[in-house]
């Protein structure tokens, strides 16, 4: 015979909705009780609803104030950058404009600190010289890919290879130029290499790494205004024209050095540099335009050979040939070279 508890259990098993309906009924009763308490609290404190409305109004006002101030700030920032006289423009607010200018100056200072050299002059100012004297022209050299090539050898480490004729090339330069290293390598690496190439410190007037270059468009750019020398007397020897796209007229761009020892590039470049160091050449940029900035030593040597052939042919003609050749404008042009 089944007890009343057994009958109740069978009822719950037979009718599962009965159990859930009881739970829903209990939840509904609890919610009704909570609503009654809330109504009683509101009746006891009538200012609660007013406080909620006031808070919602304050939040709305804060949003309007924030977006209006941001819009005016951005607009005054636009006026400072693109208008010659922002005070005459509609929407100008002095306090907001001053704040925008201050923020812009702070951002620009931080940006310059991160992307530009720490000092404005890499080389000291030119001293006052007696009349008729002048300092030699300035030659800026790049290291990696131009003078040296570094390979990684498994089990050995980094192996540095010098370009053919590098030592003779460097020994000749101080007699003609003020030689400066400005490479896109790290400063520590640049100084170590410079010490190896110039242990007596008689070749290089300064050695600077990538920290002395301008970081722009994801790469390091060589800005010649930091050299502190007249641009008409500055020559840059590099293998990558993108490192100085603003001053390509000052560049001698040669083929990158890949470690092979069979090139004679530095030997040919040295002849061109000897020509550019002459005092009568006042602007190296104009002279380099004659030969082009990409492998200009090739065209220069071709013109030198053509001049030598012309002179030999003239000498073979005798004295009358020389007199006639002097009247030829091509002969006068070859003499100027």
């Amino acid at each position: 015979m089944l007890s009343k508890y057994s009958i109740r259990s069978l009822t719950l098993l037979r009718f599962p909705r009965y159990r859930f309906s009881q739970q829903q009924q209990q939840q509904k009763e609890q919610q009704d009780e909570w609503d009654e308490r809330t109504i009683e609290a509101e009746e006891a404190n009538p200012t609660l609803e007013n406080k909620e409305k006031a808070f919602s109004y304050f939040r709305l006002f804060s949003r309007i104030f924030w977006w209006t101030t941001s819009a005016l700030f951005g607009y005054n920032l636009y006026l400072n950058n693109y208008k010659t006289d922002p005070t005459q423009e509609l929407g100008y607010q002095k306090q907001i404009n001053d704040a925008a200018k201050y923020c812009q100056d702070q951002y620009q200072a931080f940006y310059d600190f991160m992307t530009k050299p720490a000092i404005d002059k890499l080389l000291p100012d030119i001293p006052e010289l007696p009349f008729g004297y002048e300092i030699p022209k300035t030659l800026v050299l790049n290291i990696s890919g131009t003078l040296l090539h570094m390979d990684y050898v498994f089990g050995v480490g980094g192996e540095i290879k010098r370009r053919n004729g590098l030592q003779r090339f460097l020994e000749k330069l101080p007699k003609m130029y003020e030689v400066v290293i400005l490479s896109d390598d790290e400063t520590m690496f640049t100084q170590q290499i410079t010490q190896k190439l110039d242990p007596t410190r008689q070749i290089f007037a300064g050695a600077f790494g990538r920290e002395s270059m301008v970081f722009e468009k994801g790469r390091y750019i060589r800005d010649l205004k930091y050299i502190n020398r007249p641009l008409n007397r500055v020559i840059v020897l590099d293998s990558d024209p993108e490192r100085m796209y603003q001053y390509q007229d000052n560049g001698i761009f040669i083929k990158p050095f890949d470690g092979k020892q069979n090139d004679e590039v530095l030997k040919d470049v040295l002849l061109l540099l000897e020509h550019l160091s002459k005092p009568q050449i006042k602007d190296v940029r104009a002279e380099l335009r004659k030969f082009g900035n990409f492998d200009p030593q090739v065209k220069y040597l071709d013109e030198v050979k053509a001049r030598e052939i012309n002179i030999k042919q003239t000498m073979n003609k005798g004295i009358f040939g020389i007199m006639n050749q002097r009247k030829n404008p091509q002969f006068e042009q070859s003499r100027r070279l």
Side-chain angles (χ1 to χ4, degrees):
M1 185 174 182
L2 297 175
S3 63
K4 61 179 181 179
Y5 299 104
S6 301
I7 294 173
R8 185 172 181 274
S9 301
L10 291 174
T11 304
L12 293 175
L13 293 174
R14 179 67 180 81
F15 304 102
R17 293 184 179 179
Y18 175 76
R19 180 177 57 185
F20 294 111
S21 63
Q22 283 187 342
Q23 294 178 356
Q24 292 176 357
Q25 184 67 24
Q26 292 177 358
Q27 292 177 357
K28 184 177 180 181
E29 292 176 356
Q30 292 177 357
Q31 184 65 33
D32 293 341
E33 183 179 357
W34 176 259
D35 293 341
E36 290 178 359
R37 291 180 180 180
T38 304
I39 294 173
E40 292 176 357
E42 291 178 353
E43 292 177 352
N45 188 7
T47 60
L48 181 62
E49 184 177 359
N50 297 332
K51 288 183 179 180
E52 291 181 353
K53 290 182 179 180
F55 179 75
S56 63
Y57 290 149
F58 174 76
R59 184 168 54 184
L60 179 62
F61 174 77
S62 300
R63 290 179 179 177
I64 295 175
F65 175 79
W66 168 254
W67 288 113
T68 303
T69 306
S70 301
L72 288 174
F73 181 86
Y75 179 70
N76 280 267
L77 192 64
Y78 164 79
L79 294 179
N80 290 334
N81 290 328
Y82 297 100
K83 299 297 181 180
T84 56
D85 189 5
T87 58
Q88 302 299 326
E89 300 294 333
L90 181 65
Y92 170 80
Q93 296 291 332
K94 185 179 184 306
Q95 293 80 3
I96 297 179
N97 188 273
D98 293 342
K101 187 176 181 181
Y102 173 78
C103 294
Q104 185 179 7
D105 293 341
Q106 293 298 317
Y107 170 78
Q108 188 64 38
F110 177 76
Y111 180 81
D112 293 343
F113 174 77
M114 298 298 296
T115 60
K116 294 183 179 181
I119 55 178
D120 296 332
K121 299 178 181 180
L122 298 179
L123 296 177
D125 294 333
I126 300 175
E128 295 185 2
L129 299 175
F131 179 77
Y133 289 86
E134 62 180 7
I135 65 171
K137 298 180 178 71
T138 303
L139 177 63
V140 181
L141 301 176
N142 183 62
I143 293 181
S144 296
T146 305
L147 304 180
L148 304 174
H149 177 76
M150 185 170 65
D151 285 330
Y152 180 79
V153 181
F154 181 76
V156 178
E159 182 180 359
I160 298 177
K161 297 180 180 179
R162 300 187 180 190
R163 200 158 199 162
N164 188 25
L166 176 60
Q167 197 61 37
R168 181 177 179 274
F169 177 79
L170 294 177
E171 291 174 356
K172 292 282 186 179
L173 291 180
K175 302 175 183 178
M176 302 179 290
Y177 291 95
E178 178 188 27
V179 186
V180 179
I181 294 290
L182 182 56
S183 178
D184 62 343
D185 300 292
E186 294 182 357
T187 300
M188 183 177 296
F189 174 79
T190 302
Q191 292 178 351
Q192 291 176 353
I193 294 298
T194 304
Q195 188 174 1
K196 293 289 185 181
L197 296 176
D198 183 21
T200 60
R201 298 184 179 181
Q202 296 181 357
I203 299 177
F204 303 116
F208 308 96
R210 65 177 59 172
E211 289 79 5
S212 299
M213 301 175 69
V214 177
F215 187 76
E216 182 180 336
K217 298 179 181 179
R219 63 181 306 169
Y220 289 94
I221 305 298
R222 188 179 289 107
D223 195 342
L224 297 185
K225 70 180 181 182
Y226 291 96
I227 297 294
N228 194 28
R229 293 293 183 267
L231 293 180
N232 62 329
R233 299 177 58 83
V234 176
I235 304 172
V236 181
L237 180 63
D238 202 344
S239 57
D240 186 3
E242 295 298 327
R243 277 195 286 257
M244 47 178 297
Y245 67 93
Q246 295 179 338
Y247 304 94
Q248 291 194 0
D249 289 342
N250 296 83
I252 298 177
F253 303 110
I254 59 178
K255 296 179 180 179
F257 178 50
D258 55 0
K260 298 180 181 179
Q261 299 295 328
N262 57 353
D263 63 44
E264 301 291 337
V265 175
L266 293 182
K267 179 181 177 181
D268 298 339
V269 171
L270 184 60
L271 297 176
L272 175 61
L273 292 175
E274 290 177 354
H275 169 69
L276 295 175
S277 65
K278 295 177 181 179
Q280 57 266 31
I281 298 179
K282 301 300 181 181
D283 193 343
V284 296
R285 297 170 297 184
E287 192 69 16
L288 284 173
R289 291 192 196 102
K290 299 178 182 179
F291 311 111
N293 296 96
F294 296 88
D295 289 328
Q297 72 278 3
V298 177
K299 188 174 181 180
Y300 170 74
L301 292 178
D302 291 341
E303 292 196 8
V304 170
K305 291 178 181 178
R307 181 182 59 182
E308 292 177 352
I309 293 174
N310 192 9
I311 293 175
K312 288 181 180 180
Q313 291 177 352
T314 303
M315 294 179 65
N316 292 333
K317 292 179 181 179
I319 187 170
F320 294 103
I322 295 176
M323 297 298 295
N324 294 330
Q325 191 69 19
R326 285 182 179 274
K327 299 178 182 179
N328 190 349
Q330 294 181 356
F331 179 78
E332 294 295 333
Q333 184 178 2
S334 64
R335 288 184 60 190
R336 294 192 187 98
L337 291 175

